[in-house]
Each structure stands twice: as structure tokens, then as C-alpha cells.
Amino acid sequence: MSEERPQTSSSPPEEEFHLGPGRPLLTILSILAVIGLAGLGFGALLGAEVDVVPFVPERGPDRVTGGGLGALPGAGGTIPSLLADLHQVQTSPPPSTPGSPGEASPIGDPEDQPGGRLERFGPNDEGALVVPDGWAVVARSEDLITLGTGDGVRFGARIVRATPATPATQLVTEAQARIVASSAAAHVRTSDVLPLQAFGSLVTRSTVGYSALRTDAQGVSSVGGNIFAFVRIDGLALVVTAEVTPGAHWTARTEEWLPLWESVVSIFAGAPLPA
Amino acid sequence: MANEYRWALIVGGTVPLLLAVVGVLGPAIMIAAFLLPVTFLVYAHDVELWEERPALTLAAVYLVVAAGASLVSLVAFRWMGEDAFAGLLFANAGHGALTGSPTGALILFGVALPVASEIVRQVGPVILARLPAFDDMIDGFTFGVASGAAYAAFETVVAFGAVFTVGLHSADAPTTWVVVILNLMIVKPVIYGAATGMAVAAFSGRGEGYDGFTPAYFGTLGLAIAANVAYWLGVRLLAGAPFGQALALLWGAVIAAVLVVRARVVLQAALLEAAVEDAARNARPRWATTDLAYCPECENALLPDALFCIVCGASVRATSIAARRHIREPAAPDSEGER
């Protein structure tokens, strides 16, 4: 068929731009290489490793830890009475069969409690915390409550059924696997799991610190946080997560979530935090 | 020519996946984000889209889209919605899943952002499509595709900017990142490009001039917005489920496939309109065949003055300058071999 091939009937069109055979591939790959190098440069310029150190609120001598809810901003002298009310129902002695809905609301109207608003959570309202000004409940489901400040600090608390023999380190490890799960987070850095001294009606408690890039198809978020687990003598457990975005701000913003942490732990343990 | 672009997509698409596996996330995200826009840019040059003024035209489209995409994404992911988005991911990470997701954030990122971004993607192409030089349906369609693909790239750079702040190497969760990068590299730009392309094609319409803001345009724009909302709302709702990332990828692939089928119908109509218009004007397009030549796609003979291959339907206009030159000026038998 070669003799049937057409002869050129006119000169090739004037072409202001043409890549020629084999050139599109090289052109595209060259441009992508430059773009990839730009990404490498951004990483080199902006990259920073974050040390992950778990935050242990009552560990340092300079922490104000002398009484759990008493440390709440604006608590004044009225928070201890709220704590005393809670003690009567929840921890004196600790309920052997916690969670009956009928025994869950000894405090009356949850609105306008001193130091903030009291919110209950858990399948049978076994957990409670005082929400200070500046915080809002952003989501809740059967066993948990999630709160946020709207500017990068989040706090979650979940009630879990366990046994008094369940080590808190196990709950922390399980929660860590879920909260910074490999299926939804990357660049995960965690501290060692630290067992902490129990107090009040707690039999065991533990914590771990983490930082991660949490991602899905829509975007990515750099986070730093702590997971705490507390197991009570009646077998009920509380798992708490405090988290800050971006993760590099974690240490600087501890004071913002600490009042929530102190209230939920004190109420759950039925006793002030140890000094 | 097609092989050139196929290889570019295969090689260019494999690199970010490999980089993600070894944990070099920054370059992986950047290459994944720009693979389709860059390929489309080179293709636009190659096939002389937009009245042989591709560089200037494409630069205009990309500049408008880059500005719009960066602004909207910075507002959504940084200036106003950073905490809301982090809260969604926090909820998905075992702190709420579906029932515990913050409703406001879900509406913001699953509904409001897709609606706003589709509207922003329309601006540049619609302005260009009103110009007499670009009022053909094929121009509107390709402007829309370019706008969608470019928007996807710039949105990705902003939304995934945090990967640049954690150092160069991260060997964690390669599977997660492979799935995410497949979404960013293929599914998102295809959905954005096809949806926006169809809507702007409806703005251009057939016949003389452009149709403008007709009910047909608003109907197609509504479909484009619905596709975007369906995609992102699905991603958001699936994100907290087991295998949520992979399910979101599949969900996006289904929507992309539906849009591509519709977009191909629009593209065919647009190419036919351009060909018929050329024939009616008795004009000889510079891409028309001049004598016996062969389709660069299926290698069957093209009829004289053909604008399409009657066997495989490939548009002669949609072939590269190099391939067209081959059609018009075949290589000598000794260098090409016998057919």
C-alpha cells in the first residue's frame, strides 16, 4: 500500500508551538518533576518534628491541682458543694450497679451550674462534666460527648463498660489505636503509655500522648493530644481525649482544656484530683 | 499521540504513589494534584485548542481558577473552617463516627463548600465563553474541564498543606495515603472537570454565539452541583465507617464514571457542532485531512477531508499537531514500513 500513500498537498501549517513526536511525555514529566521538587522544598523549609510528651496534669509542682473542680475558672466557693452533691450519689459508696437512669440526676437543673453548665453523657448519664465559658458541645452520641472551643481545641469523653480488673493501660492502648488509627492518620508519634496513681473511687488510670496527621480524601489536619483512661471500682471506665490543632500548639494550649479534664475526672472519681 | 499521554499519565501517576509508600508526602501530594491539569495543558497546546491561542487562554483560565480556588480553600480549610474540619476528623477517629459528627461542619464541608466551589469554577470559563472567539460549545466544554482540573489542584495544595509541616519523611500508613492520592489525582479532578465542563458547555450551547444563562445552563449547573455535593457528602459520611477511605474512593469513582459518560456525550455533540459549522462555512479547517491518510487512533483509512474517523469516531481535531502532520505528511515508506 505504500504506493497509495498521499503526497503532501501543502506545506505543514504554520505552528507557533509544537512539541513534536515524543515531546509531550517529556514535557509533562519535566513539569511534574519541577512541581515535585517544589513539594520537596516546601517540606524542607516548613518541616518540623514535634516531640510527643504526654501531659500529666498533676505531675508538676507548679500545676494548680489542689482540688479538681476547685481549679475551674470562676468556680469560686460554690463548686465544692456541687462536688459534694455528686459524691453522695456516685461515690459514697461507689455504685455497685451504676447506670440506672433513675439515679442519674441528683443535681437538678443542669443549666447554669456554678463554673459553667453541667452536661451529662454516657448510656445512662454515668458521666458528667462542667462546661466552662468558651466551650460548646459540638456532638454527642449514646456513650460520648464531644466539645470544642471553635478555634482548635477539642475534648471528648466516653463511658466504657469494663471490669474493675481491666487495666487502664489497656483502654488507653485500645483508644489510641482507634483515635490515631492507621486507616485515618499518618505520621503518628506516640509517647510511652504512662500508668498514673489512682485516687478516689478509681482503681487504675493511665495516659498516652500523641501527634499525628489525620487525613481523609478532603484534607489533612495536624493534631497533638492526650488520651486518658480511668477505671472505677464498679467496673465503669472513662476514656478522655484532649486534642489541639495544629499539633505544634499542643503544649501552649493545655490550660484551655484542663478545666474540662479536671471536672470530668473529679466527678467520675468522686474525689478531687491529688495534689 | 494517545500513547504519549497514556504513558505520561501512567508514569506521572505511579511516581506519587511510590513516593507515598516510602513516605515522601509533600512531593507526592504536589505531583498528584497537578498531574491532570499539566497533562491537559500540554494536550491543549498539542491539539491547538481555543483558536490556536492556547497559552494565553489557558493562562487566563488557570489564573482566575487559581485565585478563586486558593481563596475559597483558605477560607474553608484555614481561616474559618480549620477547627470545623479538624472536628470532623476528630469525630471520625472514633469520637462519634456518623452519629457524633458535628452537624454544622458536615454541612459546611459536605454541602456549602462543594456548592461554592462549583460556582467559583464557572466564573472564568463563563467569562471566556462570552467572547466571540470562544463561543463554540467545544470551547466552553474544554474551558470548564480546565477550570475544574485546575481548581482541584489548587484546592488540594491548600487542604493538604499540613503535610509540608511534618518533615520530609513519614513511613506511616502507606495504604491510607495511596488511597487518598488516588482520590486527589484521578477522582477529584475528573469529577470537578467533567461537572464544570458540562455546565459551561451548556452555557455556550450550539448555534451562533453563546446561549448564556438559559434554563438548560442552570439545569446542567444544578446537576454539576448535585454531583459535587453527592461526592463530598458521601466522602464525609463514609469517612468514619470501617474501610471508610476505600469506600469513599469507590463512591467517588462511581460518580466520576457517571459524569464521564455524560461528558463524552457532550464532547461528541460539541465536536460535531464544530465540524458541521466548518462544513457549512465551506471552510477547510487546518486539521482536515487532505488526501488518503490514516486514523492515528485505530489506523484505518480516513476519508478525504475527514474531520472524524468513520471507524472509531476519533476526531481529527482532537489529535496532536505531530499526528496531524503525520496524517498530512506521512513518513516515507522506508522509514515507516509497509502497512
Side-chain angles (χ1 to χ4, degrees):
Chain A
M1 277 180 72
S2 62
E3 67 278 9
E4 296 176 12
R5 285 179 176 277
Q7 299 302 308
T8 305
S9 58
S10 62
S11 60
E14 58 288 344
E15 291 158 2
E16 317 82 46
F17 177 93
H18 98 87
L19 299 162
R23 298 286 289 279
L25 177 61
L26 288 176
T27 305
I28 293 168
L29 295 183
S30 301
I31 295 172
L32 291 176
V34 171
I35 289 171
L37 287 173
L40 204 62
F42 291 155
L45 285 174
L46 304 175
E49 292 291 339
V50 177
D51 288 335
V52 180
V53 179
F55 183 80
V56 183
E58 67 274 24
R59 183 178 53 181
D62 54 340
R63 269 291 308 146
V64 180
T65 56
L69 286 171
L72 284 170
T78 54
I79 288 294
S81 64
L82 170 61
L83 186 58
D85 290 343
L86 288 164
H87 285 185
Q88 288 182 346
V89 172
Q90 294 191 328
T91 62
S92 185
S96 55
T97 56
S100 160
E103 63 183 16
S105 301
I107 314 167
D109 186 357
E111 300 287 336
D112 301 326
Q113 292 291 338
R117 171 193 170 95
L118 188 78
E119 290 283 351
R120 292 189 167 276
F121 62 96
N124 296 302
D125 287 349
E126 299 95 333
L129 48 74
V130 178
V131 183
D133 290 343
W135 284 83
V137 177
V138 294
R140 66 162 76 230
S141 60
E142 185 185 8
D143 58 348
L144 70 86
I145 187 169
T146 304
L147 304 99
T149 59
D151 67 346
V153 187
R154 289 166 298 283
F155 189 89
R158 179 192 294 271
I159 292 293
V160 179
R161 294 283 175 198
T163 69
T166 305
T169 51
Q170 176 189 326
L171 295 176
V172 160
T173 305
E174 289 172 0
Q176 175 194 319
R178 185 178 67 247
I179 290 167
V180 283
S182 61
S183 62
H187 202 77
V188 178
R189 302 287 180 267
T190 57
S191 71
D192 293 334
V193 176
L194 293 180
L196 303 173
Q197 185 182 1
F199 68 95
S201 59
L202 301 178
V203 290
T204 171
R205 65 185 183 125
S206 183
T207 188
V208 67
Y210 65 86
S211 74
L213 275 184
R214 195 171 281 142
T215 188
D216 66 16
Q218 198 166 19
V220 68
S221 177
S222 150
V223 299
N226 245 55
I227 302 168
F228 304 88
F230 309 86
V231 180
R232 215 162 59 179
I233 195 167
D234 59 2
L236 208 59
L238 170 71
V239 177
V240 170
T241 307
E243 190 175 283
V244 168
T245 301
H249 295 175
W250 164 247
T251 306
R253 304 192 69 175
T254 301
E255 295 294 331
E256 295 181 49
W257 55 265
L258 207 54
L260 271 170
W261 185 91
E262 289 174 339
S263 75
V264 74
V265 176
S266 296
I267 292 171
F268 187 75
L273 289 163
Chain B
M1 175 195 74
N3 276 340
E4 289 278 322
Y5 292 96
R6 260 180 225 128
W7 277 111
L9 291 174
I10 290 169
V11 175
T14 304
V15 169
L17 295 176
L18 292 175
L19 289 174
V21 167
V22 299
V24 188
L25 293 179
I29 293 289
M30 291 288 281
I31 294 173
F34 285 96
L35 174 63
L36 285 189
V38 166
T39 306
F40 189 76
L41 183 153
V42 175
Y43 179 78
H45 275 295
D46 210 9
V47 301
E48 296 179 299
L49 273 177
W50 306 317
E51 309 293 338
E52 294 82 48
R53 279 176 277 178
L56 189 64
T57 312
L58 199 62
V61 172
Y62 277 25
L63 273 177
V64 171
V65 171
S70 301
L71 184 64
V72 171
S73 303
L74 283 169
V75 169
F77 290 97
R78 292 288 171 269
W79 297 337
M80 289 178 62
E82 182 176 28
D83 182 72
F85 187 70
L88 276 173
L89 297 182
F90 183 66
N92 291 334
H95 260 280
L98 301 186
T99 55
S101 290
T103 308
L106 197 61
I107 292 171
L108 173 62
F109 287 97
V111 180
L113 180 59
V115 172
S117 66
E118 183 56 60
I119 292 169
V120 168
R121 289 196 290 273
Q122 298 285 316
V123 174
V126 161
I127 290 172
L128 282 170
R130 296 165 68 98
L131 302 176
F134 303 122
D135 59 7
D136 287 348
M137 196 180 197
I138 186 68
D139 294 324
F141 178 78
T142 48
F143 286 149
V145 172
S147 174
Y151 189 101
F154 288 102
E155 182 185 73
T156 293
V157 171
V158 174
F160 284 79
V163 299
F164 302 115
T165 66
V166 293
L168 290 178
H169 297 283
S170 164
D172 303 325
T175 311
T176 297
W177 284 103
V178 165
V179 171
V180 166
I181 282 175
L182 284 172
N183 231 323
L184 301 178
M185 187 165 60
I186 300 170
V187 174
K188 183 162 93 165
V190 167
I191 289 176
Y192 284 13
T196 307
M198 286 190 302
V200 184
F203 179 89
S204 295
R206 299 182 200 183
E208 191 173 5
Y210 63 90
D211 286 1
F213 298 109
T214 60
Y217 167 71
F218 286 111
T220 314
L221 178 62
L223 278 177
I225 288 174
N228 280 281
V229 170
Y231 172 48
W232 284 124
L233 202 54
V235 166
R236 292 263 50 89
L237 293 175
L238 289 168
F243 306 105
Q245 308 273 12
L247 290 174
L249 179 65
L250 285 176
W251 172 242
V254 168
I255 292 176
V258 172
L259 287 175
V260 164
V261 169
R262 277 191 67 98
R264 282 188 67 97
V265 174
V266 173
L267 177 62
Q268 188 71 5
L271 286 169
L272 280 171
E273 185 219 13
V276 170
E277 186 177 317
D278 286 335
R281 292 177 189 276
N282 203 21
R284 159 164 270 285
R286 54 194 301 200
W287 45 83
T289 59
T290 55
D291 209 331
L292 179 60
Y294 296 90
C295 173
E297 297 296 329
C298 70
E299 299 188 354
N300 280 293
L302 293 167
L303 297 178
D305 291 340
L307 291 170
F308 290 89
C309 171
I310 63 167
V311 178
C312 72
S315 166
V316 175
R317 181 177 184 173
T319 60
S320 71
I321 293 169
R324 258 182 259 145
R325 190 170 52 182
H326 177 71
I327 292 171
R328 299 174 59 147
E329 188 182 17
D334 56 346
S335 63
E336 182 78 1
E338 295 291 322
R339 284 183 187 262

